[in-house]
Amino acid sequence: MSLQEVTEQELLESLQDNSSAKAVYFYTGLCGTCQLGERMLEIALVAAPSIRVYKININYAPLLRDKWKISSVPALVLLEHGAPVQTEYAMRSVDHLYTLLTKHFSSPK
């Protein structure tokens, strides 16, 4: 399981290696829905230990927020080759997140 907190600069550097699929979870500290979404994401990642998801506070990521047009939190952004391919705003269930992530990380890039 891996939900790794990063700064915007660290994430930008990580995106330069765009050979692998990535996912980024945007949140804010005082958002109760974000806390619930994060907990569901952590549970989904227990079942898929090889998947790494980056976590970033949207208030400290203005460049990516604007570039990727993140309109609210929580937001799970799926990336391919360093670019967003899907943004999920509704953290519906653990099962939904698990399915979303395993499909994304298992599909050929």
Side-chain angles (χ1 to χ4, degrees):
M1 171 186 85
S2 183
L3 186 59
Q4 177 184 356
E5 178 101 29
V6 292
T7 66
E8 185 172 51
Q9 184 59 41
E10 290 169 335
L11 187 54
L12 288 168
E13 290 171 9
S14 167
L15 294 176
Q16 291 179 12
D17 169 27
N18 61 14
S19 60
S20 63
K22 293 181 174 57
V24 181
Y25 182 72
F26 285 88
Y27 74 98
T28 62
L30 299 176
C31 168
T33 305
C34 298
Q35 293 170 9
L36 179 60
E38 182 177 336
R39 183 68 188 128
M40 288 192 299
L41 190 54
E42 288 172 343
I43 293 167
L45 291 172
V46 167
S50 63
I51 295 175
R52 170 170 289 170
V53 177
Y54 296 100
K55 170 181 147 179
I56 191 164
N57 187 320
I58 198 167
N59 294 318
Y60 302 114
L63 297 173
L64 290 173
R65 177 192 63 219
D66 294 345
K67 181 178 180 181
W68 293 348
K69 297 177 176 51
I70 305 299
S71 60
S72 68
V73 291
L76 181 64
V77 180
L78 304 178
L79 307 169
E80 288 180 15
H81 306 292
V85 292
Q86 182 176 349
T87 302
E88 189 74 23
Y89 291 104
M91 306 297 126
R92 298 179 204 162
S93 68
V94 171
D95 182 56
H96 174 74
L97 292 172
Y98 174 80
T99 302
L100 189 71
L101 290 168
T102 53
K103 278 184 178 179
H104 177 66
F105 281 89
S106 65
S107 64
K109 306 294 177 246

